[in-house]
Amino acid sequence: MGASILSDFGAEILIPVCAVIGIAFSLVQWVLVSKVKLSPGRDSVNNGSGAKNGYSDYLIEEEEGLNDHSVVLKCAEIQSAISEGATSFLFTEYQYVGIFMVAFAILIFLFLGSVERFSSKSQPCTYGKSKICKPALATAAFSTISFLLGAITSVVSGFLGMKIATYANARTTLEARKGVGKAFITAFRSGAVMGFLLAANGLLVLYIAINLFKLYYGDDWSGLFEAITGYGLGGSSMALFGRVGGGIYTKAADVGADLVGKVERNIPEDDPRNPAVIADNVGDNVGDIAGMGSDLFGSYAESSCAALVVASISSFGINHELTPMLYPLIISSVGIIVCLITTLFATDFFEIKAVKEIEPSLKRQLIISTVLMTIGIGIVSWIALPSSFTIFNFGDQKAVKNWQLFLCVAVGLWAGLIIGFVTEYYTSNAYSPVQDVADSCRTGAATNVIFGLALGYKSCIIPIFAIAISIFVSFSFAAMYGIAVSALGMLSTIATGLAIDAYGPISDNAGGIAEMAGMSHRIRERTDALDAAGNTTAAIGKGFAIGSAALVSLALFGAFVSRAAISTVDVLTPKVFIGLLVGAMLPYWFSAMTMKSVGSAALKMVEEVRRQFNTIPGLMEGTTKPDYATCVKISTDASIKEMIPPGALVMLTPLVVGIFFGVESLSGVLAGSLVSGVQIAISASNTGGAWDNAKKYIEAGASPHAKSLGPKGSDPHKAAVIGDTIGDPLKDTSGPSLNILIKLMAVESLVFAPFFATHGGLLFKLF
């Protein structure tokens, strides 16, 4: 079998050092962003950087004779309002989520402890009855602790991301006065702060938890890593509420602002006269930043946990080979270093000199990180793995070579890039699919909706084939462990992915602040260009999240089947088939709940915005300020109230099915929800993204074709706004939340598998 080149001590040093480097790099980026001052004065204007990024440091305001002092103060005031709104909402949300977290932690302890009737005696191991392992009570206690650790890390990740985004939005606006390159670097650096903090924190907390748990578990590695699965469950359960709650908040405000402001009153987007404008900008931060951060952290935690569980019952765990055992964490560690180098290409090595360079620069990030990571995976697979070893494969041990495991990780990594670029093709207004959708607006909103839906359905084809090939290659080489590390490969460049993803909402907010502060139209043009590129990259980020969710949930499904001692999942048996049908229906039920929640919240918002326009004298003339606070309160109240039913559906389904119908039916539910959930998530995200960019294509009027459809306020533009409004809940609420549904049900089933295997299937036991 042979030993790995990297020593155990080397692996134990490498992982925390890479995590600390990631945290340090994020702090350096934050310091650089903070140099842009939000107080008036020459230091905010001239920082001596000359003509970098193709523009000298004179300001457009000075050139046009506008008052710089008042503009900076106005930006600072708006930023403060957005930050306060976002912080207030997240604190309210976390109070409710905290109650759930404690209740669910108690449930985990009670259910898992009852497997052996709360006995504190050692028991025969699940995967080797000749050996003695730690009691089920210990698994219950440590699973509960790791659940709380994952939940807290997820919440902190989302909150820090939101804080960084609200810190950077006005600074991006102010930098746009010096040129598009300056604004791009500020927005991208802020995204990098979030990306590296989240990736490094997730890795470090998991590594520390493993080492602390090892003090108790000793040589019982299968028990240790079974308990660690709670970390993934905690991460994803918080992400679910973050994504659903944040998504309802942001889209209620967005739909309300667009329908009344743009369509009825014919005022620009982010106009300060619109009462819902602050709520809309707050929503970008709580939904697209905090929710998305928690979501990708959950994916990372779950894929790591799935890989570790399978490895612990393979030769790595049986022979207590620490370095190969930590292979998933070493991949993530190298990923942080690779992403660090990749980030420098965007912020230091290449300068953005024109608007048309923004999107290629972001795409270059994906390509560079993927190429460098492929080399990194090759080196890690060579030094951290023995030349040959065995992997657990549903009761058998499958012989695997280290180069085969390298291919498993690499195929996931490259599948992620393919999904990203296909998503970009279907959602960027630089390509024909979105231009066709924009063109369909000539004949009204109905044809726009038809073309948009068709685009979304068609956009599923290549991503599904990419995921299918990844699964086939990974499973052929290394069984379920191969699929788990393939998911990790897709997520190995998570720091860069998050930086690109967070850049979008920061740029969106920057544009909103420019409009509200009454800045020059030339600045708004620059922030709009940043925002349009950000829209596409956000769609790419969602593609990554959905693709990785499919692989992660399949790996967790495999671990669940092994843990629940199911020999085969036979689709022809009634128990499994009814589970498949119910599972395939769940994403539709969940989507219906989230869409209706956005609709009912938006209804209240539209009524309030109309009321203010009709009853506040001087509002349309701009002589009176609207009541922003009421709109913020409507969004907050609606999202907190409406996030509970969809969350309960996802959290309770595995428990109800497992307890009453048993592990076989539950395996059917998991398979069904995975198969249908992935398709709906991809089509919903891409349809919404395409409608959004079709609207922006018409507004920008950058080509003769786009000019023929515009300008703003024309009939085709109004049809495009309606399409965008329909697409908002699809791309920002239902679509992104679905990938959490498929992952969360799988990881929850894995954590509760011992309980379901022992006490589940009550209804079938009665008959």
Side-chain angles (χ1 to χ4, degrees):
M1 301 280 269
S4 56
I5 296 169
L6 183 66
S7 66
D8 289 356
F9 179 72
E12 289 192 275
I13 292 295
L14 176 70
I15 295 166
V17 164
C18 288
V20 169
I21 288 170
I23 292 168
F25 183 73
S26 70
L27 293 175
V28 168
Q29 297 301 308
W30 180 76
V31 167
L32 290 169
V33 171
S34 68
K35 286 186 175 176
V36 181
K37 299 298 179 196
L38 268 186
S39 54
R42 292 303 302 170
D43 60 338
S44 70
V45 176
N46 237 327
N47 52 19
S49 55
K52 194 170 164 70
N53 291 312
Y55 290 89
S56 56
D57 263 2
Y58 72 82
L59 302 182
I60 291 172
E61 269 80 358
E62 290 173 352
E63 177 195 347
E64 296 182 356
L66 295 174
N67 187 336
D68 173 48
H69 183 90
S70 63
V71 164
V72 177
L73 284 177
K74 194 88 168 86
C75 286
E77 184 190 321
I78 296 161
Q79 185 226 29
S80 174
I82 293 169
S83 183
E84 280 170 25
T87 306
S88 162
F89 167 73
L90 286 182
F91 273 126
T92 310
E93 180 184 67
Y94 293 156
Q95 284 169 11
Y96 286 85
V97 167
I99 296 164
F100 157 80
M101 195 164 78
V102 172
F104 207 75
I106 294 166
L107 203 65
I108 291 171
F109 181 75
L110 293 176
F111 276 31
L112 294 184
S114 69
V115 171
E116 294 288 333
R117 301 179 189 277
F118 297 97
S119 166
S120 56
K121 291 178 185 172
S122 295
Q123 56 180 1
C125 296
T126 310
Y127 300 102
K129 300 294 181 188
S130 57
K131 293 179 182 174
I132 297 297
C133 286
K134 298 293 181 187
L137 193 63
T139 304
F142 282 101
S143 292
T144 306
I145 293 166
S146 59
F147 167 77
L148 292 170
L149 266 178
I152 291 164
T153 310
S154 181
V155 163
V156 169
S157 298
F159 187 76
L160 286 176
M162 179 279 296
K163 278 309 222 186
I164 291 151
T166 53
Y167 183 79
N169 50 18
R171 287 171 167 80
T172 303
T173 310
L174 293 175
E175 286 294 88
R177 300 175 303 166
K178 303 173 189 172
V180 74
K182 298 271 191 189
F184 170 80
I185 285 178
T186 303
F188 191 80
R189 278 202 167 120
S190 312
V193 177
M194 179 188 177
F196 282 91
L197 262 184
L198 189 142
N201 279 343
L203 176 65
L204 196 58
V205 173
L206 180 57
Y207 177 73
I208 291 168
I210 289 168
N211 279 291
L212 291 177
F213 285 19
K214 211 193 290 177
L215 297 175
Y216 172 79
Y217 276 99
D219 287 343
D220 179 12
W221 283 16
S222 64
L224 189 161
F225 291 105
E226 192 181 308
I228 283 288
T229 53
Y231 185 69
L233 176 59
S236 257
S237 53
M238 295 304 105
L240 175 71
F241 291 107
R243 264 293 195 198
V244 174
I248 293 168
Y249 185 108
T250 180
K251 290 305 112 182
D254 200 358
V255 170
D258 282 359
L259 279 182
V260 184
K262 283 190 195 169
V263 177
E264 293 180 11
R265 295 282 170 168
N266 208 16
I267 58 175
E269 188 164 0
D270 298 313
D271 191 295
R273 293 171 291 176
N274 195 324
V277 72
I278 292 286
D280 185 8
N281 281 288
V282 169
D284 291 335
N285 294 292
V286 298
D288 293 346
I289 297 272
M292 179 259 307
S294 293
D295 178 6
L296 282 176
F297 165 75
S299 282
Y300 162 74
E302 284 161 338
S303 55
S304 300
C305 291
L308 291 166
V309 166
V310 180
S312 69
I313 50 176
S314 303
S315 63
F316 303 154
I318 295 163
N319 302 331
H320 297 101
E321 299 167 357
L322 184 64
T323 301
M325 186 71 218
L326 294 176
Y327 178 69
L329 274 67
I330 297 170
I331 289 174
S332 302
S333 306
V334 173
I336 289 172
I337 304 302
V338 163
C339 291
L340 191 155
I341 297 164
T342 308
T343 301
L344 296 177
F345 277 91
T347 58
D348 295 83
F349 298 160
F350 292 104
E351 293 176 9
I352 299 280
K353 293 179 181 173
V355 164
K356 65 177 185 294
E357 293 175 19
I358 298 169
E359 213 165 299
S361 177
L362 293 169
K363 276 158 61 178
R364 206 184 300 127
Q365 286 284 296
L366 292 174
I367 296 165
I368 293 168
S369 62
T370 302
V371 171
L372 291 178
M373 194 63 209
T374 307
I375 299 165
I377 294 163
I379 295 166
V380 167
S381 303
W382 176 52
I383 64 169
L385 294 172
S387 57
S388 64
F389 42 89
T390 62
I391 294 292
F392 183 84
N393 181 24
F394 300 115
D396 301 319
Q397 291 287 342
K398 180 183 174 73
V400 180
K401 300 263 193 273
N402 57 3
W403 63 266
Q404 291 176 311
L405 214 49
F406 158 70
L407 287 176
C408 292
V409 186
V411 79
L413 177 66
W414 283 91
L417 186 70
I418 290 165
I419 292 169
F421 279 144
V422 169
T423 306
E424 190 227 3
Y425 173 72
Y426 280 105
T427 56
S428 169
N429 54 29
Y431 302 105
S432 60
V434 170
Q435 291 173 11
D436 289 346
V437 171
D439 194 63
S440 70
C441 295
R442 288 178 192 279
T443 47
T447 43
N448 180 26
V449 170
I450 292 165
F451 269 71
L453 288 172
L455 178 146
Y457 298 148
K458 193 177 177 186
S459 71
C460 293
I461 299 167
I462 297 173
I464 293 301
F465 276 116
I467 293 167
I469 291 165
S470 299
I471 291 167
F472 181 77
V473 171
S474 304
F475 191 84
S476 300
F477 283 148
M480 279 297 172
Y481 185 72
I483 292 171
V485 293
S486 184
L488 258 180
M490 205 177 273
L491 292 165
S492 58
T493 53
I494 186 173
T496 293
L498 267 168
I500 291 171
D501 221 344
Y503 154 89
I506 291 168
S507 302
D508 194 358
N509 261 205
I513 291 170
E515 184 76 46
M516 283 185 273
M519 293 169 94
S520 155
H521 72 95
R522 288 170 61 186
I523 291 179
R524 183 69 217 222
E525 279 170 15
R526 288 174 182 180
T527 56
D528 278 354
L530 293 170
D531 182 25
N535 257 341
T536 304
T537 56
I540 292 171
K542 287 176 188 125
F544 264 96
I546 295 161
S548 61
L551 293 175
V552 168
S553 53
L554 185 58
L556 291 165
F557 175 68
F560 161 73
V561 168
S562 303
R563 188 74 194 87
I566 304 170
S567 52
T568 53
V569 179
D570 186 354
V571 180
L572 295 175
T573 57
K575 283 184 191 176
V576 176
F577 194 77
I578 58 167
L580 268 176
L581 282 175
V582 171
M585 171 273 295
L586 285 172
Y588 290 93
W589 188 359
F590 179 83
S591 296
M593 290 168 98
T594 50
M595 293 283 284
K596 194 163 180 224
S597 297
V598 171
S600 57
L603 198 65
K604 290 177 192 158
M605 186 66 76
V606 166
E607 285 169 355
E608 173 58 24
V609 175
R610 276 181 186 153
R611 183 195 68 76
Q612 290 198 31
F613 273 123
N614 292 332
T615 59
I616 299 177
L619 185 55
M620 269 306 282
E621 292 74 29
T623 54
T624 316
K625 262 190 170 184
D627 178 8
Y628 297 127
T630 304
C631 291
V632 170
K633 188 174 186 310
I634 287 172
S635 263
T636 302
D637 293 348
S639 55
I640 296 296
K641 180 178 152 220
E642 300 283 355
M643 75 179 181
I644 294 166
L649 173 71
V650 177
M651 299 301 292
L652 294 177
T653 297
L655 294 177
V656 170
V657 174
I659 292 167
F660 292 105
F661 300 95
V663 287
E664 287 177 316
S665 293
L666 182 53
S667 63
V669 168
L670 296 179
S673 65
L674 166 60
V675 169
S676 82
V678 171
Q679 326 282 340
I680 303 171
I682 292 172
S683 65
S685 293
N686 291 349
T687 293
W691 276 328
D692 192 350
N693 273 344
K695 176 201 73 177
K696 283 191 164 56
Y697 175 74
I698 294 171
E699 287 175 350
S703 68
H705 177 240
K707 282 195 178 96
S708 72
L709 297 167
K712 286 184 183 181
S714 66
D715 286 342
H717 178 250
K718 284 182 177 173
V721 170
I722 290 169
D724 175 37
T725 310
I726 299 166
D728 275 337
L730 282 172
K731 75 176 168 63
D732 290 322
T733 312
S734 297
S737 303
L738 278 172
N739 61 61
I740 303 176
L741 173 139
I742 57 179
K743 292 181 306 188
L744 185 50
M745 293 210 309
V747 74
E748 188 181 338
S749 303
L750 173 60
V751 169
F752 286 106
F755 176 79
F756 296 149
T758 311
H759 302 300
L762 292 179
L763 282 182
F764 292 127
K765 285 175 183 173
L766 294 174
F767 299 110

